[in-house]
Amino acid sequence: MVLIEKLIEKKIITPEKAEELRKEFDDFEGTEEDFYLIKKIISEDNLNKIRSEFYGIDVFNENEGFEIPNNILSLIPEESALFYKIIPLRVVEDTLEVGMVDSEDIKAKEAINFITRQKRLKFKIYLLNKRLFDTYIKKYRNITEEVGRALSALETEIGGVDDGVEIFSFDPKTNKEKLSEEAPIIKMVAVILRHAVDGNASDVHIEPEEKQLRIRFRMDGTLYSSLFLPLHTHPSIVARIKILSNLRIDENRIPQDGRFSARIDNKNIDFRVSTFPTKLGEKVVIRVLDPNEGLKSYQDIGLISNNLRLVREAIKRPFGMILATGPTGSGKTTTLYSILQELNKPEVNVVTLEDPIEYYVPGINQSQIRPEIGYDFSQGLRHVVRQDPDIIMVGEIRDEESASLATQAALTGHIVLSTLHTNNAIGIIPRLIDMKIKPFLLPATLNIGIAQRLSHRLCPFCKEKVRPLKELEKMIVSELSLLPEQVKREVKIPEIIYVYKPKGCPKCNNKGEKGRLGIFEVLKMTPDLEKIIVEDPTELKISAEVKRQGMISMRQDGIIKAINGDISIEEVFRVSEE
């Protein structure tokens, strides 16, 4: 461990701690740098500074908007870049500047020397952190070029046939099954999936049109057309996906659902597949389920201030329901997973009923609902309570039976997490009453209701600070004036209101927005609210009571995030229409 003395010298660790680490490192499979990062001994940036001092090599510091041109990337082949973990950064006069992850890798240095000698260039090495390497290696990948090469190979194999009607027939015993196993089709599907993962797409849409096959990726809630292919490739691509998902390739008249997993860039990714017959052929939608993307902290999803405090108070209670509500695609399941991560401890038994299981969580017993064989949420709930659970997560309360069973589970000493479809938090109470839950049971069972929407997060690198228009400023001040005093102190509302707007830069593909953030409102059960529920549970009276209690509305939560520069004010009013 060559750097450990530097860590002692910098007083990052004590000599006693160093001895412990030396013993642990003997059984560690990986580099010394990886060991320190996994153990969270030091941040990556500080580790690189120490490496720079020790080896006498400069650290490459990323400039805003830095891009590597294709002609520079071509100086080192992608295979070599991946194998040696090196990236060509730029050419300054006659010197190629190369980023290198492992500064001790002698073979990588020899490879750089060999490549630059052939190009008649000198070279200079910079230390590159793993995060930047992972970002830059993706620059080699152009979906149009990669699929184009596979398409050319396919055209060569089939003799340049353009229409493909005869070749790409739907006969399951002949061409379709055969062609689906050909290398170009396999490559084409693999490239599409990899680009979906690289681009953090949530879904891939493969859609036949009259004259072409359209591939679209959904990123941050919006669909983008990314690729157009010849129509004759459609049956083979669909067949390849069906084979991966164990679906019937000879059945194209009815919808089918399936699932498969793949390892992409050293990550295990799950893909959920849905086929749907249309007039022009089968449409395929693939949901991308990256476990690293789905399991997020409270801060990542946007739970802050009083809302976060209410959630943490609720999960400390020994029993009761925690319900997340909102339209499809509003991030309800992600919120429940965030809560589950905090509840998941060795001393408790956590069981989930999901349709489908979107993300695997170690230590939790996750069960897939299968309505086609009679195993639905209601059936599952009956059996789950016999599994001695402490915490139960039910994917969705859909009907009177599942609502009744979830309520009974909460009453008998379990924490129950689930989702509903209502417009806001106060709508949870009348919705449960509509599902035949007795009003007098709700105060004892409902701990909190969380309503949410997803908004586009502003790109932190190019967002622009501006003063809002006078009318807009009045609306902002009016909403903020209704916040509880404690919240006003916490969020530190400025005297002069500023908001932020999207601009666009290379880091966000000139969209001005990158990722999504939740805006929330959290309804807490209180004695006054209990009285209203038992006596006259109308939405109007519940609404008046929660305002009196100082519940932060979704719009107010969004405005706080807008003046903090997380989202634009226009986005707040778009997603929190009242």
Side-chain angles (χ1 to χ4, degrees):
M1 299 179 76
V2 295
L3 297 177
I4 201 159
E5 294 301 328
K6 274 280 181 188
L7 297 183
I8 297 171
E9 182 187 316
K10 299 275 185 185
K11 297 185 178 177
I12 294 168
I13 57 172
T14 62
E16 293 76 21
K17 182 65 176 176
E19 283 307 309
E20 283 180 36
L21 294 175
R22 283 191 179 100
K23 290 174 185 174
E24 290 181 45
F25 186 66
D26 289 339
D27 298 321
F28 181 74
E29 294 181 4
T31 66
E32 184 180 358
E33 288 86 350
D34 288 341
F35 177 75
Y36 294 137
L37 295 176
I38 288 169
K39 290 287 183 181
K40 296 183 179 177
I41 303 297
I42 186 171
S43 71
E44 191 170 24
D45 287 339
N46 287 334
L47 179 59
N48 276 335
K49 287 175 187 173
I50 289 174
R51 289 171 66 202
S52 175
E53 287 178 25
F54 188 84
Y55 295 110
I57 302 173
D58 291 337
V59 175
F60 179 72
N61 292 315
E62 178 187 22
N63 298 319
E64 186 177 331
F66 176 76
E67 288 288 320
I68 306 173
N70 288 335
N71 65 314
I72 300 297
L73 282 175
S74 65
L75 294 174
I76 296 180
E78 182 182 1
E79 293 77 12
S80 300
L82 273 168
F83 184 78
Y84 294 111
K85 289 189 169 49
I86 56 177
I87 292 286
L89 300 169
R90 58 196 166 206
V91 173
V92 179
E93 295 179 349
D94 61 345
T95 301
L96 174 64
E97 297 183 351
V98 182
M100 190 172 175
V101 174
D102 185 358
S103 51
E104 291 186 277
D105 192 335
I106 303 299
K107 289 186 177 179
K109 289 179 181 176
E110 289 174 354
I112 295 169
N113 188 31
F114 176 78
I115 290 167
T116 51
R117 210 169 49 237
Q118 284 198 322
K119 307 286 184 186
R120 297 182 180 178
L121 292 168
K122 298 172 186 174
F123 69 88
K124 180 179 179 180
I125 290 173
Y126 284 90
L127 283 175
L128 197 67
N129 66 42
K130 185 69 166 54
R131 176 186 58 80
L132 279 182
F133 174 79
D134 290 341
T135 299
Y136 292 152
I137 199 70
K138 293 173 185 176
K139 305 291 183 185
Y140 280 99
R141 301 169 182 174
N142 181 295
I143 188 168
T144 307
E145 289 178 6
E146 288 192 88
V147 172
R149 286 195 292 271
L151 189 58
S152 297
L154 181 63
E155 295 294 343
T156 302
E157 287 188 10
I158 65 176
V161 176
D162 288 328
D163 59 322
V165 173
E166 192 173 354
I167 293 173
F168 294 90
S169 68
F170 281 85
D171 184 349
K173 297 178 182 177
T174 56
N175 299 316
K176 184 175 179 184
E177 189 169 1
K178 176 179 178 296
L179 281 172
S180 68
E181 295 171 357
E182 294 294 342
I185 291 296
I186 293 173
K187 174 72 173 173
M188 224 176 282
V189 172
V191 168
I192 290 167
L193 296 178
R194 192 182 68 196
H195 275 268
V197 174
D198 284 351
N200 293 322
S202 61
D203 302 88
V204 182
H205 289 239
I206 300 172
E207 304 163 309
E209 297 181 333
E210 285 191 3
K211 296 182 180 178
Q212 59 192 355
L213 179 66
R214 178 171 65 165
I215 313 293
R216 293 194 289 172
F217 293 159
R218 187 180 292 280
M219 291 181 282
D220 296 334
T222 305
L223 276 170
Y224 296 93
S225 294
S226 300
L227 186 67
F228 292 93
L229 297 173
L231 194 56
H232 66 66
T233 61
H234 171 243
S236 297
I237 289 174
V238 172
R240 172 64 184 160
I241 293 166
K242 283 184 172 181
I243 287 169
L244 289 170
S245 313
N246 290 319
L247 301 179
R248 289 181 58 186
I249 63 171
D250 60 335
E251 178 58 81
N252 64 337
R253 300 163 300 172
I254 59 172
Q256 296 186 70
D257 293 314
R259 190 178 184 129
F260 67 93
S261 297
R263 192 163 179 80
I264 297 176
D265 289 339
N266 294 318
K267 291 193 295 185
N268 289 317
I269 310 293
D270 286 337
F271 298 94
R272 195 174 81 214
V273 176
S274 171
T275 69
F276 186 76
T278 71
K279 179 183 176 182
L280 299 172
E282 284 183 285
K283 173 178 175 175
V284 178
V285 174
I286 305 172
R287 171 64 58 88
V288 183
L289 302 171
D290 183 346
N292 299 314
E293 292 297 319
L295 300 177
K296 297 182 178 179
S297 67
Y298 294 136
Q299 185 179 4
D300 290 336
I301 64 175
L303 266 173
I304 57 171
S305 184
N306 194 53
N307 287 340
L308 177 56
R309 188 160 47 248
L310 291 175
V311 169
R312 286 197 157 133
E313 284 174 6
I315 66 176
K316 286 177 182 174
R317 296 187 63 181
F319 63 89
M321 286 197 293
I322 297 170
L323 299 181
T325 186
T328 302
S330 58
K332 301 185 295 295
T333 305
T334 302
T335 298
L336 293 187
Y337 273 114
S338 297
I339 294 171
L340 274 183
Q341 285 183 95
E342 187 155 330
L343 289 170
N344 184 21
K345 293 181 173 61
E347 60 269 22
V348 296
N349 178 23
V350 185
V351 185
T352 73
L353 297 169
E354 303 176 59
D355 184 20
I357 298 171
E358 295 202 9
Y359 305 104
Y360 171 68
V361 186
I364 291 179
N365 305 287
Q366 296 172 267
S367 183
Q368 168 75 52
I369 293 302
R370 300 193 182 278
E372 68 275 9
I373 59 171
Y375 181 47
D376 55 15
F377 284 120
S378 301
Q379 184 73 12
L381 266 168
R382 287 194 189 90
H383 290 281
V384 161
V385 292
R386 299 172 196 156
Q387 287 286 312
D388 186 32
D390 298 290
I391 298 154
I392 303 168
M393 185 180 97
V394 186
E396 185 182 347
I397 293 176
R398 292 181 176 173
D399 51 35
E400 292 176 11
E401 190 175 11
S402 58
S404 175
L405 289 166
T407 304
Q408 289 301 319
L411 281 170
T412 52
H414 305 93
I415 294 176
V416 179
L417 288 78
S418 192
T419 67
L420 274 177
H421 285 283
T422 66
N423 289 328
N424 48 36
I426 62 175
I428 290 172
I429 294 165
R431 177 73 178 128
L432 289 172
I433 293 171
D434 285 345
M435 288 179 160
K436 303 295 188 286
I437 302 300
K438 297 282 192 293
F440 70 86
L441 292 176
L442 286 177
T445 55
L446 181 63
N447 290 349
I448 54 167
I450 307 167
Q452 64 184 90
R453 299 288 188 277
L454 283 180
S455 59
H456 292 284
R457 191 194 291 262
L458 288 170
C459 173
F461 299 100
C462 65
K463 62 185 179 184
E464 203 171 344
K465 188 175 183 179
V466 295
R467 286 295 308 275
L469 297 171
K470 289 292 179 187
E471 285 300 314
L472 189 56
E473 186 174 5
K474 284 180 183 176
M475 292 173 68
I476 292 170
V477 171
S478 173
E479 288 284 354
L480 293 177
S481 67
L482 300 174
L483 288 171
E485 287 303 318
Q486 183 183 0
V487 176
K488 286 179 185 177
R489 288 193 298 271
E490 282 180 1
V491 299
K492 296 177 182 175
I493 297 165
E495 290 182 13
I496 301 173
I497 301 292
Y498 285 94
V499 293
Y500 296 76
K501 67 177 185 179
K503 186 178 179 183
C505 68
K507 289 184 182 294
C508 60
N509 293 323
N510 293 311
K511 292 188 293 184
E513 295 166 331
K514 195 171 185 180
R516 288 191 289 176
L517 188 70
I519 63 171
F520 300 87
E521 61 184 26
V522 180
L523 170 72
K524 179 187 177 183
M525 189 58 63
T526 61
D528 288 337
L529 186 55
E530 288 178 18
K531 188 177 178 183
I532 290 171
I533 291 170
V534 172
E535 293 176 357
D536 187 14
T538 62
E539 199 160 320
L540 190 63
K541 285 195 172 183
I542 297 168
S543 178
E545 172 57 24
V546 297
K547 281 181 181 175
R548 189 192 66 77
Q549 292 175 4
M551 182 184 83
I552 301 172
S553 69
M554 278 188 279
R555 176 159 290 183
Q556 289 169 334
D557 187 46
I559 288 172
I560 291 169
K561 291 179 170 100
I563 62 176
N564 286 338
D566 298 318
I567 58 180
S568 69
I569 193 67
E570 291 80 9
E571 187 73 359
V572 173
F573 286 100
R574 182 185 71 82
V575 300
S576 65
E577 293 178 3
E578 294 180 346

